[in-house]
Amino acid sequence: MLTIKNLHAQVEEKKILKGINLQVNAGEVHAIMGPNGSGKSSLASVLAGRQNFEVTEGSALLEDKDLLDLSPEDRAREGLFLAFQYPVEIPGVSNINFLKTALNEIRAYKGLQPLDARSFLALTRERQKLVEFDAQFTNRSLNEGFSGGEKKRNEIFQLAMLEPKLSILDETDSGLDIDALRIVSNGVNKLRSANNAFILITHYQRLLDYIVPDFVHVLYDGRIIRSGTKELALELEERGYDWLKEEVALQGQL
Amino acid sequence: MASSTDILADITEKDYEFGFVTDIEMDIAPVGLNEDTIHYISAKKNEPQWLLEWRLKAYRAFLKQSMPTWQNFEMPEIDFQKISYYAAPKARKKYNSLDEIDPELLATFEKLGIPLNEQKTLAGVAVDAVFDSVSVATTYKGKLKELGIIFCSFSEAVQEHPELVQKYAGSVVPHSDNIFASLNAAAFSDGSFVYIPKGVRCPMELSTYFRINSENTGQFERTLIIADEGSYVSYLEGCTAPRRDESQLHAAVVELIAMENAEIKYSTVQNWYPGDKDGKGGIYNFVTKRGICKGANAKISWTQVETGSAITWKYPSVILQGDNSEGEFYSVAVTKNKQIADTGTKMYHIGANTKSRIISKGISAGNGQNSYRGLVQVGANAANARNFTQCDSLLIGDQCGAHTFPYIESKNTTATIEHEATTSKIGEDQIFYLNQRGINTEKAVALIVNGYAREVLNQLPMEFAVEAQKLLGITLEGSVG
């Protein structure tokens, strides 16, 4: 589904991704871990097409589409979804109006008619239930006055509504209490299917108890320095990152 | 992706949709203003002597006045002798039915989305259409008449209801109020007139649609709305003009009079030609709008969505004379390219327990300059007067400006006056967030701006709120990357 090859990127003159290789297949969940400042969120930003991130080398394909050639909105329309680490507030724009606009833009891109009001409402109700999203938030202004946890849950609700192929959850678990974490994870688990894939960016092994990943990668200094299965996350939890950093340093000396 | 500097370089003029000219034979007065012109206009309209004398009085007041100097923009030079003060479609003097109106005119209004054929009009909206200087049609007159409501052109009111016109015209905005009000009183050509009798709730929206068509003419219309005791009316005005390289002057006067327990809601969607992206052409929209809550518990509410004009300069105000009376002002003003808006309101608290509420939302893009200027004045007898003011500014890009000039004068210690102000920018983060959900940048800006202006748009009658939303979106197209 997602094929990243030798991806290099920089912000202004600072190199932040230094040759990422990653293959994510349909039906898989990948976790990306790593110490602060290793480039995890930058990878998400580069894939989603955030301004100021300049790709200098490499490629990123979503199915057969070259993501790097597309505008941010077209990447989204092709099925890339980023659950933001810090979802923004947009005063006066109701959550529901925003979602309707987004959904219909994506449908239009695929050559589909806009969803009529009735079907849209039915879909909203169903997905709200699926991800246990409180209906009262649906009519409020987009993220305005939401708590950190409510914002994160709104991201998952949007994910459920827009049905992307590939979802990147950028530290969706940070700032969540244990109940919210369970709800968010349940939502993601329900949305997992053979036709979509997830990348979880996280600092904590705890999330991976709820959403069990097929692969775990460690990102450090702009590169993936180790890949493994869920056991790798447990090992990191126990030993931290220093032993990996040392290994890298050692390799550098050889 | 474009950086913010590129974005500014990219600002393109979205073609002004209503910029066409109607080719129709016109009766146009020679350019220039003097007593002869006023006699000419008055004679054309077959006016009574008192009105001619009032016009002449206003003209003499006009001669003594000079241009204001306090505004926050460079005043363009206006040669009042180069403007024609009267232009009317050449045809019959009076239309008895729509069938007699020049089809070219009907087509013009159709094209503007204002069909004058009653079968085709928006349900529940009566329209008075003003083309250059003259009202060409008023719909649903018969139906309104059954309730005793008078809705007609100003000229017709002069002929049919002279006692009302003579009593109230100039009673809120005197003939010597300011240079543009004096000019209007001297040379006004037409406008709308509304009278709602005691206890009547007007069952439909009343609306006037103004269209400037001829070159080198000014449009000077007067609107007078009287809501008698316990009555209610909601009134809306819309306006457009052709694209021209020369700026044209629009100096209107609107007077509202609300008696005891009466309520007037006045909404404006102003979309005069704004000029091109270099600031060439466009309408100078210098308008005096004022209402008076004459009786106790009266209420006047102004709502305006200002997207057009090269310069908008107006302060719809309320004189809160009756005890417990209420005044409101809701405004969204958008400026882009070289547009200028200097707008706001004045609330004069005279009666006891009077209340006013001001919500102003300025949006500046491109090189646009937006000023809020407001006065809240509480008199010695206005015990327990209350005012709440909120004025917000939204900036798009870094070449535009937002300015706030609030004035507060209170002579009563029991008054409560609150003022809140914010300035914000549309953030790249907000736009990227919406992009990431499949929404392109232009739609994203429209969504953010409409959200920002929602409190004001909510005040508009339903049918027009949708139009205004679209208009805001279109107006700002091309403003961001």
Side-chain angles (χ1 to χ4, degrees), chain B residues 18 20 27 48 79 105 118 137 149 189 210 235 263 271 301 303 310 321 355 366 374 394-395 404 407 428 447 450 464:
Chain B
F18 307 103
F20 61 89
D27 212 351
D79 189 341
L105 262 182
E118 285 187 14
I149 294 170
S189 33
F210 295 104
Y235 183 93
E263 179 176 350
N271 188 23
S301 180
T303 302
Q321 190 181 65
K355 278 198 290 192
L394 185 69
L395 303 172
T404 309
Y407 299 88
E428 278 172 11
L447 210 58
N450 274 303
F464 299 103

Side-chain angles (χ1 to χ4, degrees), chain A residues 48-51 72-73 76-77 80-82 84 88-93 98 102 105-106 143 155 158 162, chain B residues 1-4 7 428-441 443 447-452 454:
Chain A
R50 191 188 275 273
Q51 215 175 334
E73 58 269 29
R77 293 163 182 171
L80 178 80
F81 183 94
L82 173 60
F84 284 75
V88 301
E89 300 188 3
I90 304 187
V93 177
F98 151 69
E105 288 291 307
I106 293 170
N143 291 329
E155 294 292 291
Q158 292 173 31
L162 301 178
Chain B
M1 223 179 152
S3 71
S4 40
I7 289 168
E428 278 172 11
D429 281 357
Q430 287 178 319
I431 289 176
F432 179 63
Y433 188 84
L434 297 175
N435 285 160
Q436 214 300 308
R437 297 301 184 250
I439 300 169
N440 71 27
T441 301
K443 277 219 168 112
L447 210 58
I448 294 167
V449 165
N450 274 303
Y452 166 78
R454 194 172 65 167

Side-chain angles (χ1 to χ4, degrees), chain A residues 193-207:
Chain A
S193 80
N195 302 317
N196 62 22
F198 288 83
I199 295 175
L200 312 174
I201 293 172
T202 182
H203 277 293
Y204 306 105
Q205 197 278 332
R206 196 180 61 174
L207 174 70

Side-chain angles (χ1 to χ4, degrees), chain A residues 19-172:
Chain A
I20 302 268
N21 291 291
L22 184 65
Q23 173 69 37
V24 178
N25 298 312
E28 293 178 350
V29 173
H30 289 240
I32 296 182
M33 305 183 75
N36 290 329
S38 58
K40 303 187 298 295
S41 290
S42 298
L43 176 61
S45 294
V46 168
L47 293 177
R50 191 188 275 273
Q51 215 175 334
N52 304 332
F53 285 80
E54 188 195 344
V55 174
T56 50
E57 216 183 318
S59 65
L61 299 182
L62 182 66
E63 291 186 327
D64 55 345
K65 287 272 165 29
D66 186 350
L67 282 179
L68 306 178
D69 267 358
L70 300 175
S71 65
E73 58 269 29
D74 282 348
R75 298 181 197 200
R77 293 163 182 171
E78 285 291 342
L80 178 80
F81 183 94
L82 173 60
F84 284 75
Q85 186 178 359
Y86 304 108
V88 301
E89 300 188 3
I90 304 187
V93 177
S94 76
N95 221 357
I96 199 79
N97 184 21
F98 151 69
L99 269 172
K100 199 171 173 177
T101 309
L103 189 68
N104 286 332
E105 288 291 307
I106 293 170
R107 288 177 66 91
Y109 183 77
K110 294 177 178 161
L112 298 170
Q113 290 295 311
L115 215 53
D116 63 81
R118 222 190 144 104
S119 319
F120 179 74
L121 198 66
L123 181 72
T124 308
R125 291 223 175 100
E126 188 219 314
R127 296 301 149 91
Q128 252 167 222
K129 228 165 149 181
L130 189 74
V131 298
E132 297 178 57
F133 190 67
D134 196 332
Q136 63 152 328
F137 294 117
T138 338
N139 290 315
R140 280 187 22 196
S141 284
L142 183 51
N143 291 329
E144 195 187 20
F146 285 27
S147 72
E150 287 159 358
K151 284 180 186 169
K152 296 298 180 74
R153 289 174 60 179
N154 195 14
E155 294 292 291
I156 302 305
F157 171 54
Q158 292 173 31
L159 194 163
M161 288 293 290
L162 301 178
E163 301 179 310
K165 287 179 199 155
L166 176 74
S167 305
I168 305 170
L169 276 57
D170 190 3
E171 298 196 23
T172 299

Side-chain angles (χ1 to χ4, degrees), chain B residues 157-435:
Chain B
V158 169
Q159 304 299 329
E160 312 278 329
H161 311 281
E163 69 298 339
L164 286 173
V165 177
Q166 193 169 7
K167 184 167 175 192
Y168 292 110
S171 71
V172 192
V173 179
H175 71 276
S176 55
D177 191 79
N178 65 69
I179 187 167
F180 298 109
S182 296
L183 181 67
N184 176 290
F188 77 91
S189 33
D190 211 335
S192 292
F193 177 85
V194 176
Y195 173 78
I196 315 287
K198 276 184 194 170
V200 172
R201 203 182 155 83
C202 185
M204 55 176 78
E205 300 288 336
L206 301 185
S207 161
T208 300
Y209 194 87
F210 295 104
R211 173 79 180 167
I212 295 180
N213 189 61
S214 300
E215 221 168 333
N216 299 324
T217 58
Q219 182 149 331
F220 307 95
E221 82 275 0
R222 277 192 96 81
T223 299
L224 176 58
I225 300 177
I226 304 149
D228 217 329
E229 287 171 26
S231 68
Y232 168 84
V233 64
S234 169
Y235 183 93
L236 186 125
E237 62 165 38
C239 33
T240 55
R243 307 177 67 130
R244 294 198 191 281
D245 288 345
E246 297 286 317
S247 288
Q248 281 175 291
L249 178 62
H250 170 249
V253 170
V254 176
E255 295 177 284
L256 309 183
I257 295 143
M259 303 299 193
E260 199 173 313
N261 295 314
E263 179 176 350
I264 302 175
K265 207 172 144 61
Y266 192 105
S267 314
T268 304
V269 176
Q270 186 265 108
N271 188 23
W272 294 116
Y273 177 53
D276 71 7
K277 64 180 193 303
D278 302 317
K280 200 166 180 202
I283 302 290
Y284 297 146
N285 186 37
F286 301 163
V287 172
T288 309
K289 289 181 166 174
R290 195 175 301 150
I292 182 165
C293 289
K294 257 189 137 69
N297 308 311
K299 182 174 175 184
I300 288 178
S301 180
W302 297 101
T303 302
Q304 58 176 25
V305 176
E306 306 281 328
T307 61
S309 298
I311 304 175
T312 295
W313 192 10
K314 66 167 186 174
Y315 312 93
S317 307
V318 185
I319 301 168
L320 297 156
Q321 190 181 65
D323 289 348
N324 310 311
S325 60
E326 255 180 83
E328 291 178 336
F329 173 74
Y330 294 93
S331 169
V332 176
V334 184
T335 53
K336 67 164 188 179
N337 295 331
K338 304 261 172 162
Q339 274 178 281
I340 294 164
D342 193 317
T343 185
T345 184
K346 295 180 203 168
M347 295 289 177
Y348 302 97
H349 293 258
I350 297 169
N353 305 311
T354 45
K355 278 198 290 192
S356 63
R357 182 177 172 81
I358 299 169
I359 307 288
S360 164
K361 304 262 180 182
I363 300 165
S364 316
N367 294 301
Q369 294 294 327
N370 220 318
S371 299
Y372 167 81
R373 188 184 302 277
L375 169 68
V376 176
Q377 195 181 63
V378 179
N381 298 321
N384 305 312
R386 294 184 75 96
N387 161 265
F388 174 77
T389 301
Q390 183 179 338
C391 54
D392 297 334
S393 308
L394 185 69
L395 303 172
I396 304 175
D398 56 7
Q399 304 287 310
C400 55
H403 317 270
T404 309
F405 305 94
Y407 299 88
I408 296 171
E409 297 168 15
S410 180
K411 293 198 178 113
N412 194 305
T413 51
T414 61
T416 311
I417 298 167
E418 288 175 75
H419 183 96
E420 285 180 14
T422 66
T423 302
S424 51
K425 279 189 86 163
I426 289 191
E428 278 172 11
D429 281 357
Q430 287 178 319
I431 289 176
F432 179 63
Y433 188 84
L434 297 175
N435 285 160

Side-chain angles (χ1 to χ4, degrees), chain A residues 7 16-22 31-44 201-203 216-227 232 236 241 244-245 248:
Chain A
L7 188 64
I16 43 160
L17 298 181
K18 302 171 180 174
I20 302 268
N21 291 291
L22 184 65
I32 296 182
M33 305 183 75
N36 290 329
S38 58
K40 303 187 298 295
S41 290
S42 298
L43 176 61
I201 293 172
T202 182
H203 277 293
V216 174
H217 310 278
V218 177
L219 195 65
Y220 174 63
D221 194 24
R223 285 186 202 93
I224 289 176
I225 55 165
R226 178 72 60 110
S227 294
L232 176 59
L236 293 171
Y241 292 108
L244 275 175
K245 290 184 195 171
V248 174

